[in-house]
């Protein structure tokens, strides 16, 4: 896979979808995880979810009577993308530690 | 409850201006409850600044299932759908929850591209409609020395389309510039 950095929105959506969640749940979860810093807007989330579905990184769960709202879940393919992104972020942090903190 | 209607025309390249005006009305205590006849906005008196209005040009026509799905999704996040004007939809949400439709540059750029794509066709159509009567007029002028007096009619038609073409083209270039600024910002952030 040609590797490109994920957007912050996509990264947090993938993390959220390690467990089944509907759209509004993702918005709340991301806000909570980022301590209020990242507020996903509904239209942005919708676009990102559709792109992720097309790519096969997440899937829609069948709706049942008690879950009218559509729920989504990460796929193995999505997990792989998330792991790659996590590794990339670790590299960024490690270099930050060395060069930014090391200067102090 | 006091009601009020306003008649106003906004073009497709002035959606931001339209949204700004609607939110100005909200801050003055007039909540948008309906949009109809393409240019009529109906308001009801409410607590000033309680709601925000967000509008959006849909990707697909309003009657398509994709559009219905999208509107349902937005409503499931706690906002309400008010009405539509063609393929432009109006949503409202609580101001205290900072209701927005877009939260990052990637999605904003996508949205601008959607409008720009439509405007490009519109620009092309307008210019073709300008050139066509202009050529008829010139043909009569040069080859037939305006023998057929009805040919004079082509001139004002061409001029009307010319004015329209220029306006739409200016609108398109405004939006293209905005998108470019967002793309430049994206090189640095996000």
């Amino acid at each position: 896979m040609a590797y490109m950095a994920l957007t912050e929105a996509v990264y947090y959506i993938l993390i959220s979808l390690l467990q089944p969640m509907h759209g509004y749940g993702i918005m709340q979860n991301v806000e909570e995880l980022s301590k209020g810093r990242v507020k996903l807007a509904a239209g942005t989330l919708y676009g990102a979810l559709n792109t992720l579905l097309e790519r096969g990184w997440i899937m829609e769960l069948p709706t049942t009577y008690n879950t009218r709202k559509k729920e989504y879940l990460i796929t193995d393919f999505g997990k792989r993308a998330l792991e790659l992104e996590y590794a990339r972020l670790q590299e960024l942090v490690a270099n930050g530690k060395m060069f930014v903190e090391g200067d102090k | 409850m006091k009601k009020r209607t306003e008649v106003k025309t906004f073009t497709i390249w002035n959606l931001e201006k339209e949204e700004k005006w609607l939110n100005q009305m909200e801050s003055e205590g007039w909540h948008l409850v309906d949009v109809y006849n393409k240019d009529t906005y109906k308001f009801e008196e409410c607590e000033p600044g309680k709601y925000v209005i967000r509008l959006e040009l849909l990707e697909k026509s309003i009657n398509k299932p994709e559009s219905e799905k999208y509107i349902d999704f937005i409503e499931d996040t706690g906002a309400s759908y008010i009405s539509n004007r063609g393929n432009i939809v109006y949503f409202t949400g609580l101001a205290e929850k900072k209701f927005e439709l877009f939260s990052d540059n990637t999605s904003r750029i996508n949205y601008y591209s959607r409008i720009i794509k439509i405007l490009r066709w519109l620009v092309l159509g307008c210019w073709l409609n300008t050139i066509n009567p202009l050529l008829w007029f010139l043909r009569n002028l040069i080859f037939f020395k305006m023998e057929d007096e009805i040919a004079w009619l082509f001139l004002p038609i061409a001029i009307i389309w010319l004015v329209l073409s220029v306006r739409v083209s200016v609108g398109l270039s405004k939006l293209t510039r905005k998108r470019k600024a967002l793309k430049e910002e994206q090189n640095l952030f996000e």
Side-chain angles (χ1 to χ4, degrees):
Chain A
M1 190 186 332
Y3 197 70
M4 279 179 57
L6 302 182
T7 66
E8 201 171 68
V10 166
Y11 182 69
Y12 267 138
I13 291 169
L14 288 178
I15 282 192
S16 302
L17 292 182
L18 288 168
Q19 55 196 44
M21 225 173 253
H22 54 72
Y24 190 49
I26 298 172
M27 283 165 74
Q28 287 174 314
N29 190 52
V30 169
E31 194 173 339
E32 205 181 297
L33 281 178
S34 67
K35 297 185 181 69
R37 190 180 58 84
V38 183
K39 286 193 176 74
L40 279 184
T44 297
L45 174 63
Y46 186 83
L49 286 175
N50 275 343
T51 313
L52 290 172
L53 281 170
E54 275 166 32
R55 291 222 169 168
W57 288 9
I58 62 169
M59 58 183 171
E60 270 176 27
L61 294 178
T63 43
T64 56
Y65 289 112
N66 39 9
T67 57
R68 190 185 66 84
K69 290 178 189 173
K70 202 168 284 165
E71 286 196 312
Y72 306 86
L73 187 67
I74 197 166
T75 59
D76 287 341
F77 211 47
K79 273 184 197 154
R80 176 89 187 110
L82 184 58
E83 279 159 13
L84 282 171
E85 177 67 358
Y86 178 58
R88 189 187 70 89
L89 291 171
Q90 274 183 321
E91 176 215 295
L92 292 180
V93 171
N95 279 323
K97 259 208 175 96
M98 194 148 71
F99 292 99
V100 183
E101 271 188 33
D103 275 356
K104 284 177 187 163
Chain B
M1 197 182 287
K2 269 201 239 168
K3 286 176 182 158
R4 170 175 170 184
T5 53
E6 297 276 336
V7 177
K8 242 174 149 74
T9 317
F10 288 98
T11 53
I12 180 181
W13 57 90
N14 271 332
L15 294 179
E16 273 174 17
K17 207 167 145 192
E18 182 179 359
E19 192 180 271
K20 217 172 154 187
W21 172 66
L22 290 170
N23 284 313
Q24 178 63 34
M25 293 295 282
E26 291 289 338
S27 67
E28 287 166 15
W30 292 101
H31 182 51
L32 182 71
V33 287
D34 199 8
V35 184
Y36 55 95
N37 288 350
K38 300 268 172 209
D39 62 355
T40 312
Y41 300 80
K42 192 174 160 193
F43 302 91
E44 272 178 17
E45 205 172 20
C46 86
E47 192 187 313
K50 187 178 178 193
Y51 299 100
V52 223
I53 304 291
R54 297 283 172 234
L55 54 89
E56 181 179 359
L57 176 75
L58 291 174
E59 197 166 356
K60 298 266 167 69
S61 150
I62 181 89
N63 340 312
K64 288 270 167 68
E66 288 96 331
S67 298
E68 199 186 319
K69 224 175 115 189
Y70 179 68
I71 292 170
D72 282 348
F73 185 90
I74 302 292
E75 287 212 298
D76 278 344
T77 65
S80 323
Y81 169 70
I82 300 174
S83 186
N84 74 302
R85 174 166 74 88
N87 291 338
I88 301 165
V89 284
Y90 299 80
F91 294 105
T92 184
L94 287 173
E96 61 174 28
K97 291 212 168 167
K98 298 198 171 63
F99 171 54
E100 291 279 355
L101 285 174
F102 302 112
S103 52
D104 63 18
N105 276 346
T106 313
S107 54
R108 273 184 211 111
I109 290 169
N110 281 343
Y111 179 51
Y112 276 122
S113 301
R114 190 190 303 169
I115 306 174
I116 286 169
K117 219 162 102 187
I118 294 171
L119 268 180
R120 282 200 178 133
W121 284 107
L122 211 64
V123 165
L124 183 72
C126 283
W127 283 109
L128 286 178
N129 274 328
T130 308
I131 291 166
N132 193 25
L134 194 65
L135 286 181
W136 276 101
F137 173 75
L138 291 176
R139 176 177 169 269
N140 258 285
L141 184 73
I142 296 164
F143 299 113
F144 305 105
K145 310 274 175 254
M146 295 315 280
E147 235 171 58
D148 197 357
E149 281 187 357
I150 199 102
W152 281 108
L153 257 180
F154 287 124
L155 192 60
I157 293 173
I159 290 172
I160 289 169
W161 277 105
L162 178 71
V163 172
L164 221 73
S165 301
V166 169
R167 277 197 66 194
V168 182
S169 303
V170 168
L172 173 65
S173 83
K174 252 196 233 164
L175 277 186
T176 315
R177 250 179 287 141
K178 273 187 193 158
R179 183 177 66 174
K180 197 176 160 225
L182 281 182
K183 279 186 174 167
E184 275 164 10
E185 200 176 309
Q186 207 184 20
N187 287 338
L188 275 183
F189 302 106
E190 187 214 337

